[in-house]
């Protein structure tokens, strides 16, 4: 079965550079979520999109932005990178309209960003 | 707002022994509860979930969990640990009407020894 595809799997950047992560949800999933997992930390919710509109916002820095496109894939753009941005970034997708609840998030394998 | 507390950041068991990973939640509305497993350098895989109905839920790899509203708990168990169970386990909660967003606990690293 098709899963959530994230690219790139690994990314190395210098401080103050920009990075873009991509996420391709499971076909027919209309909701995408981004999570950040620092070393030894639990995943922290950044932002989500439903039907190409931002549906919820968590602890996403102002230097980060994201969007969901017409084909439902999503991109997370990170600018002015800092050492503390080094983390594993997960994308997840789910079915279901906003407020439906109970739908399972399926996670991708993650994109590991290292900022030097 | 909702939150999840996992007691014990590291749990070590012998192969064949009972696995018990503890999770307590706080929620102002009926929660949906999940357990995810993460193997090294991999993504999060759903083990099991509780939404409504039967409070004892069975998941993959022989794991099960029981939702106890009176104790606000959702502990994960497995009767007999296997070496392949060594991983990090996250308990998570989402809210009814909350759009599926998950809030995770801090995780429990399970070590299985011979």
């Amino acid at each position: 079965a098709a899963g959530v595809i994230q690219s790139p799997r690994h990314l190395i950047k210098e401080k103050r550079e920009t990075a873009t992560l991509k996420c391709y949800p499971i076909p027919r999933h209309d909701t995408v979520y981004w999570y950040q997992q620092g070393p030894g930390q639990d995943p922290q919710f950044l932002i989500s999109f439903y039907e190409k509109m931002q549906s919820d916002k968590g602890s996403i820095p102002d230097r980060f932005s994201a969007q969901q496109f017409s084909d439902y894939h999503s991109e997370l753009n990170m600018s002015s990178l800092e050492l503390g941005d080094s983390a594993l970034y997960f994308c997840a997708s789910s079915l279901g309209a906003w407020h439906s609840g109970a739908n399972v998030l399926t996670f991708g394998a993650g994109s590991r960003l290292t900022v030097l | 707002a909702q939150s999840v507390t996992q007691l014990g950041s590291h749990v070590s068991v012998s192969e064949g022994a009972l696995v018990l990973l503890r999770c307590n939640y706080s929620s102002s509305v009926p929660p949906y509860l999940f357990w995810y497993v993460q193997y090294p350098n991999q993504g999060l895989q759903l083990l099991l979930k509780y939404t409504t109905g039967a409070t004892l839920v069975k998941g993959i790899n022989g794991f099960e969990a029981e939702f106890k509203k009176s104790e606000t708990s959702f502990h994960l168990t497995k009767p007999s640990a296997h070496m392949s169970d060594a991983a990090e386990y996250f308990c998570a909660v989402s809210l009814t009407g909350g759009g599926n967003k998950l809030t995770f606990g801090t995780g429990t690293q399970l070590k299985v020894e011979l």
Side-chain angles (χ1 to χ4, degrees):
Chain A
V4 177
I5 307 298
Q6 291 188 245
S7 68
R9 291 294 311 278
H10 300 273
L11 190 61
I12 299 175
K13 291 286 186 178
E14 300 277 345
K15 280 195 305 184
R16 292 180 289 278
E17 284 191 322
T18 297
T20 297
L21 306 180
K22 296 185 179 183
C23 170
Y24 296 87
I26 289 174
R28 293 188 299 280
H29 278 194
D30 51 19
T31 309
V32 169
Y33 313 77
W34 285 98
Y35 282 81
Q36 178 192 56
Q37 185 180 30
Q41 304 294 314
D42 57 294
Q44 293 291 316
F45 173 71
L46 293 178
I47 196 166
S48 64
F49 292 87
Y50 164 64
E51 283 291 345
K52 294 151 279 185
M53 299 287 289
Q54 180 181 309
S55 53
D56 201 354
K57 191 173 181 180
S59 51
I60 185 170
D62 292 340
R63 298 177 290 107
F64 292 10
S65 65
Q67 62 182 124
Q68 187 180 31
F69 294 86
S70 57
D71 64 350
Y72 295 102
H73 94 273
S74 178
E75 294 184 6
L76 177 66
N77 298 294
M78 300 174 284
S79 62
S80 302
L81 287 169
E82 302 174 355
L83 295 178
D85 296 329
S86 295
L88 193 55
Y89 290 83
F90 287 112
C91 172
S93 71
S94 76
L95 271 172
W98 178 239
H99 290 299
S100 64
N103 287 306
V104 173
L105 272 62
T106 301
F107 284 81
S111 292
R112 184 170 297 281
L113 171 67
T114 301
V115 181
L116 301 176
Chain B
Q2 69 278 15
S3 67
V4 175
T5 302
Q6 290 183 241
L7 295 176
S9 58
H10 292 82
V11 170
S12 184
V13 300
S14 299
E15 191 173 35
L18 171 72
V19 176
L20 171 60
L21 304 183
R22 300 178 186 273
C23 173
N24 288 88
Y25 70 90
S26 172
S27 173
S28 55
V29 299
Y32 298 133
L33 295 159
F34 306 80
W35 276 98
Y36 280 84
V37 61
Q38 185 178 29
Y39 297 98
N41 299 313
Q42 293 190 28
L44 294 154
Q45 181 183 5
L46 179 70
L47 275 178
L48 48 78
K49 68 174 181 179
Y50 168 79
T51 54
T52 58
T55 57
L56 180 64
V57 292
K58 296 184 185 299
I60 62 172
N61 301 339
F63 284 94
E64 61 182 39
E66 186 171 11
F67 170 61
K68 291 187 177 180
K69 184 179 179 181
S70 61
E71 299 178 7
T72 60
S73 68
F74 191 57
H75 302 329
L76 182 70
T77 60
K78 181 174 180 178
S80 177
H82 190 271
M83 295 296 288
S84 61
D85 295 326
E88 182 134 29
Y89 292 80
F90 290 96
C91 183
V93 62
S94 69
L95 301 182
T96 53
N100 307 324
K101 181 184 75 178
L102 290 173
T103 298
F104 287 90
T106 51
T108 298
Q109 186 72 43
L110 175 65
K111 183 178 179 181
V112 182
E113 299 173 320
L114 286 171

mmCIF file with all atom_site columns, all heavy atoms in Angstrom, chain B residues 6 9 23 39 42-43 47 54 61 69 71-72 75 77 80 84 89-91 93 103 111:
data_model
loop_
_atom_site.group_PDB
_atom_site.id
_atom_site.type_symbol
_atom_site.label_atom_id
_atom_site.label_alt_id
_atom_site.label_comp_id
_atom_site.label_asym_id
_atom_site.label_entity_id
_atom_site.label_seq_id
_atom_site.pdbx_PDB_ins_code
_atom_site.Cartn_x
_atom_site.Cartn_y
_atom_site.Cartn_z
_atom_site.occupancy
_atom_site.B_iso_or_equiv
_atom_site.pdbx_formal_charge
_atom_site.auth_seq_id
_atom_site.auth_comp_id
_atom_site.auth_asym_id
_atom_site.auth_atom_id
_atom_site.pdbx_PDB_model_num
ATOM 1   N N   . GLN B 1 6   ? 3.894   10.005  30.093 1.00 0.00 ? 6   GLN B N   1
ATOM 2   C CA  . GLN B 1 6   ? 4.378   8.627   30.071 1.00 0.00 ? 6   GLN B CA  1
ATOM 3   C C   . GLN B 1 6   ? 5.353   8.458   31.232 1.00 0.00 ? 6   GLN B C   1
ATOM 4   O O   . GLN B 1 6   ? 6.355   9.176   31.322 1.00 0.00 ? 6   GLN B O   1
ATOM 5   C CB  . GLN B 1 6   ? 5.075   8.322   28.739 1.00 0.00 ? 6   GLN B CB  1
ATOM 6   C CG  . GLN B 1 6   ? 4.103   8.260   27.581 1.00 0.00 ? 6   GLN B CG  1
ATOM 7   C CD  . GLN B 1 6   ? 4.786   7.882   26.275 1.00 0.00 ? 6   GLN B CD  1
ATOM 8   O OE1 . GLN B 1 6   ? 4.770   8.643   25.316 1.00 0.00 ? 6   GLN B OE1 1
ATOM 9   N NE2 . GLN B 1 6   ? 5.373   6.696   26.232 1.00 0.00 ? 6   GLN B NE2 1
ATOM 10  N N   . SER B 1 9   ? 10.964  6.973   31.302 1.00 0.00 ? 9   SER B N   1
ATOM 11  C CA  . SER B 1 9   ? 11.507  7.253   29.971 1.00 0.00 ? 9   SER B CA  1
ATOM 12  C C   . SER B 1 9   ? 12.253  6.032   29.431 1.00 0.00 ? 9   SER B C   1
ATOM 13  O O   . SER B 1 9   ? 12.459  5.927   28.220 1.00 0.00 ? 9   SER B O   1
ATOM 14  C CB  . SER B 1 9   ? 12.451  8.453   30.019 1.00 0.00 ? 9   SER B CB  1
ATOM 15  O OG  . SER B 1 9   ? 13.493  8.218   30.937 1.00 0.00 ? 9   SER B OG  1
ATOM 16  N N   . CYS B 1 23  ? 0.810   5.157   30.463 1.00 0.00 ? 23  CYS B N   1
ATOM 17  C CA  . CYS B 1 23  ? 0.395   6.406   29.824 1.00 0.00 ? 23  CYS B CA  1
ATOM 18  C C   . CYS B 1 23  ? -0.829  6.937   30.552 1.00 0.00 ? 23  CYS B C   1
ATOM 19  O O   . CYS B 1 23  ? -1.813  6.212   30.744 1.00 0.00 ? 23  CYS B O   1
ATOM 20  C CB  . CYS B 1 23  ? 0.059   6.164   28.360 1.00 0.00 ? 23  CYS B CB  1
ATOM 21  S SG  . CYS B 1 23  ? -0.669  7.589   27.516 1.00 0.00 ? 23  CYS B SG  1
ATOM 22  N N   . TYR B 1 39  ? 11.076  2.798   15.568 1.00 0.00 ? 39  TYR B N   1
ATOM 23  C CA  . TYR B 1 39  ? 12.351  2.098   15.533 1.00 0.00 ? 39  TYR B CA  1
ATOM 24  C C   . TYR B 1 39  ? 13.441  3.094   15.129 1.00 0.00 ? 39  TYR B C   1
ATOM 25  O O   . TYR B 1 39  ? 13.146  4.118   14.506 1.00 0.00 ? 39  TYR B O   1
ATOM 26  C CB  . TYR B 1 39  ? 12.286  0.907   14.583 1.00 0.00 ? 39  TYR B CB  1
ATOM 27  C CG  . TYR B 1 39  ? 11.283  -0.132  15.016 1.00 0.00 ? 39  TYR B CG  1
ATOM 28  C CD1 . TYR B 1 39  ? 10.003  -0.173  14.465 1.00 0.00 ? 39  TYR B CD1 1
ATOM 29  C CD2 . TYR B 1 39  ? 11.594  -1.052  16.009 1.00 0.00 ? 39  TYR B CD2 1
ATOM 30  C CE1 . TYR B 1 39  ? 9.065   -1.097  14.885 1.00 0.00 ? 39  TYR B CE1 1
ATOM 31  C CE2 . TYR B 1 39  ? 10.657  -1.990  16.428 1.00 0.00 ? 39  TYR B CE2 1
ATOM 32  C CZ  . TYR B 1 39  ? 9.402   -1.999  15.874 1.00 0.00 ? 39  TYR B CZ  1
ATOM 33  O OH  . TYR B 1 39  ? 8.470   -2.913  16.299 1.00 0.00 ? 39  TYR B OH  1
ATOM 34  N N   . GLN B 1 42  ? 13.614  5.581   11.984 1.00 0.00 ? 42  GLN B N   1
ATOM 35  C CA  . GLN B 1 42  ? 12.416  5.314   11.194 1.00 0.00 ? 42  GLN B CA  1
ATOM 36  C C   . GLN B 1 42  ? 11.272  6.211   11.633 1.00 0.00 ? 42  GLN B C   1
ATOM 37  O O   . GLN B 1 42  ? 11.370  6.934   12.624 1.00 0.00 ? 42  GLN B O   1
ATOM 38  C CB  . GLN B 1 42  ? 12.014  3.838   11.326 1.00 0.00 ? 42  GLN B CB  1
ATOM 39  C CG  . GLN B 1 42  ? 13.013  2.883   10.687 1.00 0.00 ? 42  GLN B CG  1
ATOM 40  C CD  . GLN B 1 42  ? 12.489  1.478   10.620 1.00 0.00 ? 42  GLN B CD  1
ATOM 41  O OE1 . GLN B 1 42  ? 11.274  1.237   10.548 1.00 0.00 ? 42  GLN B OE1 1
ATOM 42  N NE2 . GLN B 1 42  ? 13.386  0.509   10.627 1.00 0.00 ? 42  GLN B NE2 1
ATOM 43  N N   . GLY B 1 43  ? 10.194  6.141   10.882 1.00 0.00 ? 43  GLY B N   1
ATOM 44  C CA  . GLY B 1 43  ? 9.017   6.936   11.208 1.00 0.00 ? 43  GLY B CA  1
ATOM 45  C C   . GLY B 1 43  ? 8.199   6.317   12.316 1.00 0.00 ? 43  GLY B C   1
ATOM 46  O O   . GLY B 1 43  ? 8.572   5.316   12.924 1.00 0.00 ? 43  GLY B O   1
ATOM 47  N N   . LEU B 1 47  ? 0.524   1.439   16.544 1.00 0.00 ? 47  LEU B N   1
ATOM 48  C CA  . LEU B 1 47  ? 0.355   0.136   17.172 1.00 0.00 ? 47  LEU B CA  1
ATOM 49  C C   . LEU B 1 47  ? -1.121  -0.179  17.385 1.00 0.00 ? 47  LEU B C   1
ATOM 50  O O   . LEU B 1 47  ? -1.585  -1.270  17.084 1.00 0.00 ? 47  LEU B O   1
ATOM 51  C CB  . LEU B 1 47  ? 1.036   0.110   18.547 1.00 0.00 ? 47  LEU B CB  1
ATOM 52  C CG  . LEU B 1 47  ? 2.512   -0.215  18.631 1.00 0.00 ? 47  LEU B CG  1
ATOM 53  C CD1 . LEU B 1 47  ? 2.960   -0.141  20.088 1.00 0.00 ? 47  LEU B CD1 1
ATOM 54  C CD2 . LEU B 1 47  ? 2.809   -1.587  18.065 1.00 0.00 ? 47  LEU B CD2 1
ATOM 55  N N   . ALA B 1 54  ? -15.322 -0.692  22.797 1.00 0.00 ? 54  ALA B N   1
ATOM 56  C CA  . ALA B 1 54  ? -14.581 -1.585  23.691 1.00 0.00 ? 54  ALA B CA  1
ATOM 57  C C   . ALA B 1 54  ? -13.333 -0.899  24.220 1.00 0.00 ? 54  ALA B C   1
ATOM 58  O O   . ALA B 1 54  ? -12.551 -0.318  23.471 1.00 0.00 ? 54  ALA B O   1
ATOM 59  C CB  . ALA B 1 54  ? -14.194 -2.857  22.961 1.00 0.00 ? 54  ALA B CB  1
ATOM 60  N N   . ASN B 1 61  ? 1.534   -6.817  16.491 1.00 0.00 ? 61  ASN B N   1
ATOM 61  C CA  . ASN B 1 61  ? 2.678   -7.387  17.207 1.00 0.00 ? 61  ASN B CA  1
ATOM 62  C C   . ASN B 1 61  ? 2.342   -7.856  18.624 1.00 0.00 ? 61  ASN B C   1
ATOM 63  O O   . ASN B 1 61  ? 3.232   -7.926  19.470 1.00 0.00 ? 61  ASN B O   1
ATOM 64  C CB  . ASN B 1 61  ? 3.844   -6.381  17.272 1.00 0.00 ? 61  ASN B CB  1
ATOM 65  C CG  . ASN B 1 61  ? 4.315   -5.945  15.891 1.00 0.00 ? 61  ASN B CG  1
ATOM 66  O OD1 . ASN B 1 61  ? 4.075   -6.633  14.898 1.00 0.00 ? 61  ASN B OD1 1
ATOM 67  N ND2 . ASN B 1 61  ? 4.952   -4.795  15.814 1.00 0.00 ? 61  ASN B ND2 1
ATOM 68  N N   . LYS B 1 69  ? -11.173 5.193   31.954 1.00 0.00 ? 69  LYS B N   1
ATOM 69  C CA  . LYS B 1 69  ? -11.573 6.585   32.119 1.00 0.00 ? 69  LYS B CA  1
ATOM 70  C C   . LYS B 1 69  ? -11.396 7.046   33.571 1.00 0.00 ? 69  LYS B C   1
ATOM 71  O O   . LYS B 1 69  ? -10.950 8.166   33.817 1.00 0.00 ? 69  LYS B O   1
ATOM 72  C CB  . LYS B 1 69  ? -13.024 6.756   31.677 1.00 0.00 ? 69  LYS B CB  1
ATOM 73  C CG  . LYS B 1 69  ? -13.519 8.187   31.711 1.00 0.00 ? 69  LYS B CG  1
ATOM 74  C CD  . LYS B 1 69  ? -14.960 8.269   31.226 1.00 0.00 ? 69  LYS B CD  1
ATOM 75  C CE  . LYS B 1 69  ? -15.473 9.700   31.288 1.00 0.00 ? 69  LYS B CE  1
ATOM 76  N NZ  . LYS B 1 69  ? -16.885 9.790   30.828 1.00 0.00 ? 69  LYS B NZ  1
ATOM 77  N N   . GLU B 1 71  ? -9.284  6.222   35.680 1.00 0.00 ? 71  GLU B N   1
ATOM 78  C CA  . GLU B 1 71  ? -7.871  6.420   36.016 1.00 0.00 ? 71  GLU B CA  1
ATOM 79  C C   . GLU B 1 71  ? -7.168  7.311   35.004 1.00 0.00 ? 71  GLU B C   1
ATOM 80  O O   . GLU B 1 71  ? -5.962  7.553   35.142 1.00 0.00 ? 71  GLU B O   1
ATOM 81  C CB  . GLU B 1 71  ? -7.158  5.060   36.081 1.00 0.00 ? 71  GLU B CB  1
ATOM 82  C CG  . GLU B 1 71  ? -7.720  4.126   37.135 1.00 0.00 ? 71  GLU B CG  1
ATOM 83  C CD  . GLU B 1 71  ? -7.037  2.772   37.144 1.00 0.00 ? 71  GLU B CD  1
ATOM 84  O OE1 . GLU B 1 71  ? -6.038  2.587   36.425 1.00 0.00 ? 71  GLU B OE1 1
ATOM 85  O OE2 . GLU B 1 71  ? -7.531  1.885   37.861 1.00 0.00 ? 71  GLU B OE2 1
ATOM 86  N N   . THR B 1 72  ? -7.883  7.783   34.018 1.00 0.00 ? 72  THR B N   1
ATOM 87  C CA  . THR B 1 72  ? -7.324  8.552   32.881 1.00 0.00 ? 72  THR B CA  1
ATOM 88  C C   . THR B 1 72  ? -6.044  7.903   32.381 1.00 0.00 ? 72  THR B C   1
ATOM 89  O O   . THR B 1 72  ? -5.008  8.555   32.212 1.00 0.00 ? 72  THR B O   1
ATOM 90  C CB  . THR B 1 72  ? -7.074  10.032  33.253 1.00 0.00 ? 72  THR B CB  1
ATOM 91  O OG1 . THR B 1 72  ? -6.148  10.124  34.336 1.00 0.00 ? 72  THR B OG1 1
ATOM 92  C CG2 . THR B 1 72  ? -8.370  10.722  33.612 1.00 0.00 ? 72  THR B CG2 1
ATOM 93  N N   . HIS B 1 75  ? -2.610  2.338   29.392 1.00 0.00 ? 75  HIS B N   1
ATOM 94  C CA  . HIS B 1 75  ? -1.340  1.620   29.472 1.00 0.00 ? 75  HIS B CA  1
ATOM 95  C C   . HIS B 1 75  ? -1.230  0.560   28.381 1.00 0.00 ? 75  HIS B C   1
ATOM 96  O O   . HIS B 1 75  ? -2.207  -0.120  28.044 1.00 0.00 ? 75  HIS B O   1
ATOM 97  C CB  . HIS B 1 75  ? -1.192  0.946   30.838 1.00 0.00 ? 75  HIS B CB  1
ATOM 98  C CG  . HIS B 1 75  ? -1.271  1.902   31.989 1.00 0.00 ? 75  HIS B CG  1
ATOM 99  N ND1 . HIS B 1 75  ? -0.852  3.220   31.920 1.00 0.00 ? 75  HIS B ND1 1
ATOM 100 C CD2 . HIS B 1 75  ? -1.711  1.715   33.269 1.00 0.00 ? 75  HIS B CD2 1
ATOM 101 C CE1 . HIS B 1 75  ? -1.020  3.806   33.076 1.00 0.00 ? 75  HIS B CE1 1
ATOM 102 N NE2 . HIS B 1 75  ? -1.548  2.921   33.919 1.00 0.00 ? 75  HIS B NE2 1
ATOM 103 N N   . THR B 1 77  ? 0.406   -2.970  26.998 1.00 0.00 ? 77  THR B N   1
ATOM 104 C CA  . THR B 1 77  ? 0.958   -4.211  27.515 1.00 0.00 ? 77  THR B CA  1
ATOM 105 C C   . THR B 1 77  ? 1.201   -5.216  26.398 1.00 0.00 ? 77  THR B C   1
ATOM 106 O O   . THR B 1 77  ? 0.600   -5.141  25.328 1.00 0.00 ? 77  THR B O   1
ATOM 107 C CB  . THR B 1 77  ? 0.025   -4.863  28.561 1.00 0.00 ? 77  THR B CB  1
ATOM 108 O OG1 . THR B 1 77  ? -1.232  -5.151  27.933 1.00 0.00 ? 77  THR B OG1 1
ATOM 109 C CG2 . THR B 1 77  ? -0.195  -3.961  29.752 1.00 0.00 ? 77  THR B CG2 1
ATOM 110 N N   . SER B 1 80  ? 4.464   -11.176 26.452 1.00 0.00 ? 80  SER B N   1
ATOM 111 C CA  . SER B 1 80  ? 5.792   -11.775 26.361 1.00 0.00 ? 80  SER B CA  1
ATOM 112 C C   . SER B 1 80  ? 6.662   -10.952 25.414 1.00 0.00 ? 80  SER B C   1
ATOM 113 O O   . SER B 1 80  ? 6.398   -10.907 24.209 1.00 0.00 ? 80  SER B O   1
ATOM 114 C CB  . SER B 1 80  ? 5.674   -13.217 25.857 1.00 0.00 ? 80  SER B CB  1
ATOM 115 O OG  . SER B 1 80  ? 6.947   -13.794 25.688 1.00 0.00 ? 80  SER B OG  1
ATOM 116 N N   . SER B 1 84  ? 12.698  -8.086  19.187 1.00 0.00 ? 84  SER B N   1
ATOM 117 C CA  . SER B 1 84  ? 12.310  -7.142  18.139 1.00 0.00 ? 84  SER B CA  1
ATOM 118 C C   . SER B 1 84  ? 11.392  -6.031  18.644 1.00 0.00 ? 84  SER B C   1
ATOM 119 O O   . SER B 1 84  ? 11.099  -5.092  17.900 1.00 0.00 ? 84  SER B O   1
ATOM 120 C CB  . SER B 1 84  ? 11.613  -7.883  16.994 1.00 0.00 ? 84  SER B CB  1
ATOM 121 O OG  . SER B 1 84  ? 10.442  -8.524  17.469 1.00 0.00 ? 84  SER B OG  1
ATOM 122 N N   . TYR B 1 89  ? 8.433   4.026   22.283 1.00 0.00 ? 89  TYR B N   1
ATOM 123 C CA  . TYR B 1 89  ? 6.982   3.974   22.218 1.00 0.00 ? 89  TYR B CA  1
ATOM 124 C C   . TYR B 1 89  ? 6.409   5.304   22.682 1.00 0.00 ? 89  TYR B C   1
ATOM 125 O O   . TYR B 1 89  ? 6.775   5.828   23.734 1.00 0.00 ? 89  TYR B O   1
ATOM 126 C CB  . TYR B 1 89  ? 6.446   2.830   23.097 1.00 0.00 ? 89  TYR B CB  1
ATOM 127 C CG  . TYR B 1 89  ? 6.819   1.464   22.548 1.00 0.00 ? 89  TYR B CG  1
ATOM 128 C CD1 . TYR B 1 89  ? 8.088   0.936   22.755 1.00 0.00 ? 89  TYR B CD1 1
ATOM 129 C CD2 . TYR B 1 89  ? 5.913   0.721   21.802 1.00 0.00 ? 89  TYR B CD2 1
ATOM 130 C CE1 . TYR B 1 89  ? 8.449   -0.297  22.235 1.00 0.00 ? 89  TYR B CE1 1
ATOM 131 C CE2 . TYR B 1 89  ? 6.258   -0.514  21.281 1.00 0.00 ? 89  TYR B CE2 1
ATOM 132 C CZ  . TYR B 1 89  ? 7.531   -1.011  21.498 1.00 0.00 ? 89  TYR B CZ  1
ATOM 133 O OH  . TYR B 1 89  ? 7.875   -2.228  20.971 1.00 0.00 ? 89  TYR B OH  1
ATOM 134 N N   . PHE B 1 90  ? 5.497   5.822   21.866 1.00 0.00 ? 90  PHE B N   1
ATOM 135 C CA  . PHE B 1 90  ? 4.863   7.095   22.175 1.00 0.00 ? 90  PHE B CA  1
ATOM 136 C C   . PHE B 1 90  ? 3.364   6.899   22.351 1.00 0.00 ? 90  PHE B C   1
ATOM 137 O O   . PHE B 1 90  ? 2.698   6.313   21.488 1.00 0.00 ? 90  PHE B O   1
ATOM 138 C CB  . PHE B 1 90  ? 5.095   8.104   21.042 1.00 0.00 ? 90  PHE B CB  1
ATOM 139 C CG  . PHE B 1 90  ? 6.507   8.589   20.927 1.00 0.00 ? 90  PHE B CG  1
ATOM 140 C CD1 . PHE B 1 90  ? 7.389   8.004   20.025 1.00 0.00 ? 90  PHE B CD1 1
ATOM 141 C CD2 . PHE B 1 90  ? 6.964   9.648   21.708 1.00 0.00 ? 90  PHE B CD2 1
ATOM 142 C CE1 . PHE B 1 90  ? 8.691   8.446   19.901 1.00 0.00 ? 90  PHE B CE1 1
ATOM 143 C CE2 . PHE B 1 90  ? 8.282   10.097  21.591 1.00 0.00 ? 90  PHE B CE2 1
ATOM 144 C CZ  . PHE B 1 90  ? 9.135   9.500   20.690 1.00 0.00 ? 90  PHE B CZ  1
ATOM 145 N N   . CYS B 1 91  ? 2.866   7.434   23.430 1.00 0.00 ? 91  CYS B N   1
ATOM 146 C CA  . CYS B 1 91  ? 1.428   7.528   23.647 1.00 0.00 ? 91  CYS B CA  1
ATOM 147 C C   . CYS B 1 91  ? 0.987   8.892   23.121 1.00 0.00 ? 91  CYS B C   1
ATOM 148 O O   . CYS B 1 91  ? 1.729   9.883   23.245 1.00 0.00 ? 91  CYS B O   1
ATOM 149 C CB  . CYS B 1 91  ? 1.132   7.409   25.143 1.00 0.00 ? 91  CYS B CB  1
ATOM 150 S SG  . CYS B 1 91  ? -0.612  7.411   25.574 1.00 0.00 ? 91  CYS B SG  1
ATOM 151 N N   . VAL B 1 93  ? -2.595  11.584  22.142 1.00 0.00 ? 93  VAL B N   1
ATOM 152 C CA  . VAL B 1 93  ? -4.010  11.870  22.318 1.00 0.00 ? 93  VAL B CA  1
ATOM 153 C C   . VAL B 1 93  ? -4.457  12.865  21.265 1.00 0.00 ? 93  VAL B C   1
ATOM 154 O O   . VAL B 1 93  ? -3.709  13.754  20.860 1.00 0.00 ? 93  VAL B O   1
ATOM 155 C CB  . VAL B 1 93  ? -4.288  12.418  23.736 1.00 0.00 ? 93  VAL B CB  1
ATOM 156 C CG1 . VAL B 1 93  ? -3.547  13.729  23.977 1.00 0.00 ? 93  VAL B CG1 1
ATOM 157 C CG2 . VAL B 1 93  ? -5.771  12.616  23.968 1.00 0.00 ? 93  VAL B CG2 1
ATOM 158 N N   . THR B 1 103 ? -1.213  15.011  20.122 1.00 0.00 ? 103 THR B N   1
ATOM 159 C CA  . THR B 1 103 ? -0.268  15.491  21.127 1.00 0.00 ? 103 THR B CA  1
ATOM 160 C C   . THR B 1 103 ? 0.411   14.263  21.712 1.00 0.00 ? 103 THR B C   1
ATOM 161 O O   . THR B 1 103 ? -0.262  13.348  22.192 1.00 0.00 ? 103 THR B O   1
ATOM 162 C CB  . THR B 1 103 ? -0.978  16.279  22.235 1.00 0.00 ? 103 THR B CB  1
ATOM 163 O OG1 . THR B 1 103 ? -1.590  17.430  21.659 1.00 0.00 ? 103 THR B OG1 1
ATOM 164 C CG2 . THR B 1 103 ? 0.011   16.713  23.301 1.00 0.00 ? 103 THR B CG2 1
ATOM 165 N N   . LYS B 1 111 ? 13.834  -1.499  26.299 1.00 0.00 ? 111 LYS B N   1
ATOM 166 C CA  . LYS B 1 111 ? 14.992  -2.349  26.058 1.00 0.00 ? 111 LYS B CA  1
ATOM 167 C C   . LYS B 1 111 ? 14.621  -3.770  26.430 1.00 0.00 ? 111 LYS B C   1
ATOM 168 O O   . LYS B 1 111 ? 14.026  -3.998  27.489 1.00 0.00 ? 111 LYS B O   1
ATOM 169 C CB  . LYS B 1 111 ? 16.166  -1.863  26.911 1.00 0.00 ? 111 LYS B CB  1
ATOM 170 C CG  . LYS B 1 111 ? 17.460  -2.630  26.696 1.00 0.00 ? 111 LYS B CG  1
ATOM 171 C CD  . LYS B 1 111 ? 18.579  -2.042  27.557 1.00 0.00 ? 111 LYS B CD  1
ATOM 172 C CE  . LYS B 1 111 ? 19.879  -2.791  27.382 1.00 0.00 ? 111 LYS B CE  1
ATOM 173 N NZ  . LYS B 1 111 ? 20.964  -2.245  28.240 1.00 0.00 ? 111 LYS B NZ  1
#
